[in-house]
Structure formats: C-alpha cells, structure tokens
C-alpha cells in the first residue's frame, strides 16, 4: 500500500477523533415571553437623565452607556465613556460581549427612548440582566 494513503488515513482518523473535543458555542438562554411581558410593564427598567448625569459626574465604574445612534451621529456628539453600538448591530458577537458583565448597569441611550426600548427588549429576551433605558433619551 502507498505511504501517502496510509498517512492520509491516519490524518483523517486523528481529525475525526479531534471533532469530539470541539466545544459548542455558548448559547444564550432566552427568557420566556410571559416573563418578558411582566418585565416590560415594570417602571424599574427606566433610568432618568438626572440619574445618568449623576453617575457620569461621579464617574461610577458600574455605568456602561450604550449609544444606539448611527456612527455619524455618535461622532458628532456622545456622552462621556459611551460605547457606540448601532441598533442594527446589537446582536453581533462583538456587541454581545458588553452585556451580562456582573456588577455593571447597561444603560441604552439614543435621541429618544424608542430605539433604547427596542434594544432593552432584545437584550432582556436573551436573558441579560441589569439593562436600563434612559427616559427621553438625549433629546431630554
């Protein structure tokens, strides 16, 4: 038998055996729709502009501001230390790493609170905790 065939056969067996050790990507545990509906009606998901301003002034390390506006709008004006993640990019793998960090309060910011509400629903449905909407957005 040819050496190349033996080598290829051994290589294929090693690769096939190696697939057993591959880890599955971490799947997000989604909450039930009924639980999401219960949380939607709670006023605790909102945080006022005054509360956000106070946390910015005090340089609260637990505050994580996520600005949902377009990159162009973000470059024109942004709150200090805010992170720009446009709403249409919120489910990207790189964007999801900002959510679910223990001890942080993720506050969604936009011109108004419509897109922030949408981002809140998406992240809450995916099971992320400590997410909030800044009431009235930047226009307030």
């Amino acid at each position: 038998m040819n050496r190349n065939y033996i080598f290829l056969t051994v290589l294929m067996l090693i690769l096939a055996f190696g697939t057993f050790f591959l880890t599955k990507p971490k799947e997000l545990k989604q909450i039930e729709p009924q639980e999401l509906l219960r949380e939607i009606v709670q006023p605790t998901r909102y945080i006022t502009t005054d509360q956000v301003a106070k946390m910015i002034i005090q340089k609260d390390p637990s505050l994580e501001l996520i600005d949902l506006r377009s990159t162009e709008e973000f470059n024109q004006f942004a709150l200090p230390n805010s992170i720009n993640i446009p709403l249409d990019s919120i489910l990207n793998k790189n964007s999801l790493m900002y959510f679910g960090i223990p001890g942080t309060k993720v506050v969604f910011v936009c011109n108004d609170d419509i897109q922030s509400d949408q981002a809140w629903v998406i992240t809450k449905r995916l099971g992320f905790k400590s997410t909030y909407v800044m009431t009235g957005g930047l226009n307030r």
Side-chain angles (χ1 to χ4, degrees):
M1 192 179 245
N2 191 345
R3 269 190 172 169
N4 291 338
Y5 289 125
I6 294 172
F7 175 74
L8 286 174
T9 304
V10 170
L11 180 63
M12 293 299 283
L13 288 172
I14 291 171
L15 290 175
F17 184 70
T19 58
F20 289 110
F21 296 106
L22 293 176
T23 58
K24 291 183 179 179
K26 182 181 175 185
E27 291 186 27
L28 297 171
K29 183 182 178 204
Q30 296 185 10
I31 64 172
E32 293 298 318
Q34 296 84 354
E35 184 180 342
L36 180 63
L37 286 173
R38 276 192 294 274
E39 292 195 32
I40 282 176
V41 297
Q42 299 299 319
T44 55
R45 71 185 177 119
Y46 292 104
I47 189 166
T48 66
T49 53
D50 292 338
Q51 290 171 313
V52 171
K54 183 179 178 182
M55 288 190 280
I56 291 172
I57 291 168
Q58 293 176 345
K59 297 183 176 161
D60 186 348
S62 68
L63 176 64
E64 188 174 302
L65 290 170
I66 304 294
D67 194 323
L68 300 166
R69 298 174 300 151
S70 68
T71 305
E72 295 81 27
E73 290 177 303
F74 180 79
N75 290 336
Q76 288 177 0
F77 168 77
L79 293 174
N81 299 323
S82 60
I83 301 165
N84 182 230
I85 303 174
L87 183 61
D88 60 357
S89 303
I90 199 120
L91 291 175
N92 290 353
K93 184 178 179 182
N94 293 335
S95 300
L96 289 175
M97 71 181 188
Y98 292 106
F99 310 117
I101 301 170
T104 61
K105 296 175 187 162
V106 176
V107 179
F108 294 112
V109 178
C110 198
N111 288 331
D112 52 24
D113 51 8
I114 294 172
Q115 286 187 342
S116 298
D117 276 329
Q118 292 171 351
W120 182 88
V121 168
I122 291 168
T123 55
K124 204 60 159 176
R125 176 72 167 106
L126 292 175
F128 293 112
K129 307 222 182 296
S130 298
T131 55
Y132 303 91
V133 173
M134 187 170 80
T135 306
L138 294 173
N139 290 338
R140 187 175 234 179

